[in-house]
Amino acid sequence: MRRARRMKAAALLLAGSMALAACASDEDSGGSANGGGGDSGGDLRIGLAFDTGGRGDRSFNDSAVAGLEAAVEEHGGEFRDLSPSADGSNRVDLLTQLADEGYNPVIAVGFAYGEVIGDVVEQYPDTTFAIIDSSAEEVGADNLTGLLFAEHEGSFLAGVAAALKSETGHVGFVGGVETPLIQKFEAGYVAGAQAVNPDIVVDTQYISPAGDFSGFNDPARGQIVAQGMYDAGADIVYHAAGGSGVGVFQAAAASGGRAIGVDSDQYQTVDDPALQAVIMTSMLKRVDNAVEAFIGEFVDGNVSGGTDEVYDLSSEGVGLATSGGFIDDIQGEIDDYRQQIIDGEIEVATTP
């Protein structure tokens, strides 16, 4: 895999874009293209197929929207986004609909599209596709690019922060769906916590089993799972559960505990001040930067295709948010661990 180019030094301000995320999906957003784009052949028309939860999850999907909107602001053009059905059975239909309607490029948000995208890209050889969290190299199609992340590295730092801040020596992890991708978050988090405190207790639980994607969009169940951890003595719980993470924050607020968000800077994206107050940090997975960079490559005619672009700590593709100032006092220790990972002194496991 080739490494992604170093990302912009100035991070996008997701908070503003998240306000737009409350709009309905399935709507076009207009603008004038600059006419210089790769295979765009005139006006840039971008299609985006969401993961479970769609717009408004204040996490993974909304981060993709932020990158999409930033790219349209920079390059002009328009976009359309579509959300899957509750059971996700229409993912093929979403991709083919966007391609049939002439959107190019088309971006699939989430690893669940990895099971179907190979057949779709074969049907549309003149359309450029990208998929987040699934490998294009494994598909082998030259009109598909994989946008991958080192979630385990960012989660390691989340575990470091949790262990340094825990007063009980007991923390937790709530995963949305028990899949290899979400297990990367778990593995990194547990490793980071144990690096600081080998004796720390780390509870781990998933909201739904593999194949059942409802765990990414069920705040009520997220709250129940997290509440059980707080009741058992955990004082900090990290979630990698998409829209279900709001339930984790609610459990933290009810228990007087703290929580760690994921993907977006969730301190900036929640509406309720009571929930904002418990989010001590978020593991940033810069889907926004990856989407924006890919669209820029398409406009410039620089999409190589058939390859994966990997966003890790060294390229600032993952990291920890500092909003609220809750981890300012331990930033030096976090930075030390970050550098050790970048330098190869610490190799973070990708499986529990």
Side-chain angles (χ1 to χ4, degrees):
M1 297 183 182
R2 64 187 181 84
R3 289 289 181 188
R5 68 184 61 162
R6 180 163 294 277
M7 307 161 87
K8 297 178 179 178
L12 292 169
L13 296 177
L14 288 179
S17 64
M18 295 309 169
L20 299 175
C23 302
S25 58
D26 297 359
E27 291 185 359
D28 293 346
S29 178
S32 298
N34 60 10
D39 298 324
S40 59
D43 285 349
L44 180 65
R45 302 179 72 235
I46 309 161
L48 187 143
F50 282 125
D51 200 359
T52 302
R55 271 183 182 258
D57 70 349
R58 304 181 186 275
S59 184
F60 183 62
N61 287 304
D62 282 353
S63 186
V65 172
L68 186 60
E69 291 172 342
V72 169
E73 181 177 354
E74 179 177 356
H75 303 292
E78 63 182 40
F79 67 85
R80 185 175 188 190
D81 52 71
L82 302 175
S83 295
S85 57
D87 63 1
S89 60
N90 66 335
R91 285 191 170 88
V92 170
D93 297 335
L94 301 185
L95 297 176
T96 56
Q97 178 181 341
L98 292 169
D100 283 339
E101 293 177 359
Y103 289 95
N104 189 21
V106 173
I107 302 170
V109 182
F111 66 87
Y113 287 94
E115 299 178 359
V116 300
I117 200 166
D119 292 335
V120 176
V121 300
E122 184 177 353
Q123 294 174 35
Y124 298 92
D126 296 327
T127 300
T128 298
F129 292 84
I131 183 168
I132 297 169
D133 286 345
S134 189
S135 173
E137 292 182 351
E138 293 179 2
V139 175
D142 60 10
N143 60 332
L144 177 64
T145 298
L147 305 178
L148 307 179
F149 298 83
E151 297 92 353
H152 55 303
E153 293 182 357
S155 296
F156 184 99
L157 299 186
V160 167
L164 290 172
K165 284 291 188 177
S166 176
E167 298 178 356
T168 64
H170 189 166
V171 298
F173 170 81
V174 175
V177 181
E178 192 168 9
T179 65
L181 175 65
I182 305 304
Q183 288 175 327
K184 285 176 65 180
F185 290 83
E186 175 193 347
Y189 180 69
V190 172
Q194 292 178 341
V196 172
N197 177 8
D199 297 322
I200 196 168
V201 176
V202 186
D203 293 336
T204 64
Q205 189 171 340
Y206 289 82
I207 298 173
S208 64
D212 178 2
F213 295 100
S214 65
F216 288 133
N217 194 33
D218 194 338
R221 289 167 66 193
Q223 182 174 8
I224 292 170
V225 171
Q227 190 63 58
M229 294 180 179
Y230 290 116
D231 290 346
D235 57 350
I236 300 171
V237 175
Y238 171 42
H239 89 85
S244 300
V246 172
V248 176
F249 302 151
Q250 291 168 336
S255 304
R258 300 186 193 183
I260 298 176
V262 77
D263 294 335
S264 300
D265 183 352
Q266 296 202 281
Y267 180 91
Q268 299 288 354
T269 65
V270 296
D271 292 329
D272 188 344
L275 301 187
Q276 184 181 56
V278 305
I279 302 173
M280 72 175 217
T281 185
S282 296
M283 197 288 281
L284 298 177
K285 179 175 174 177
R286 299 311 302 264
V287 175
D288 55 336
N289 281 349
V291 167
E292 183 182 6
F294 172 75
I295 295 170
E297 291 170 359
F298 176 83
V299 169
D300 294 337
N302 292 329
V303 176
S304 55
T307 61
D308 295 325
E309 299 181 356
V310 182
Y311 294 80
D312 58 10
L313 280 179
S314 66
S315 61
E316 299 180 17
V318 293
L320 292 186
T322 58
S323 297
F326 300 118
I327 62 171
D328 287 354
D329 58 326
I330 59 172
Q331 193 61 58
E333 291 165 279
I334 292 172
D335 289 343
D336 286 343
Y337 279 105
R338 176 182 181 275
Q339 195 58 51
Q340 289 181 63
I341 294 172
I342 292 173
D343 292 343
E345 297 173 12
I346 293 177
E347 184 174 349
V348 184
T350 58
T351 57

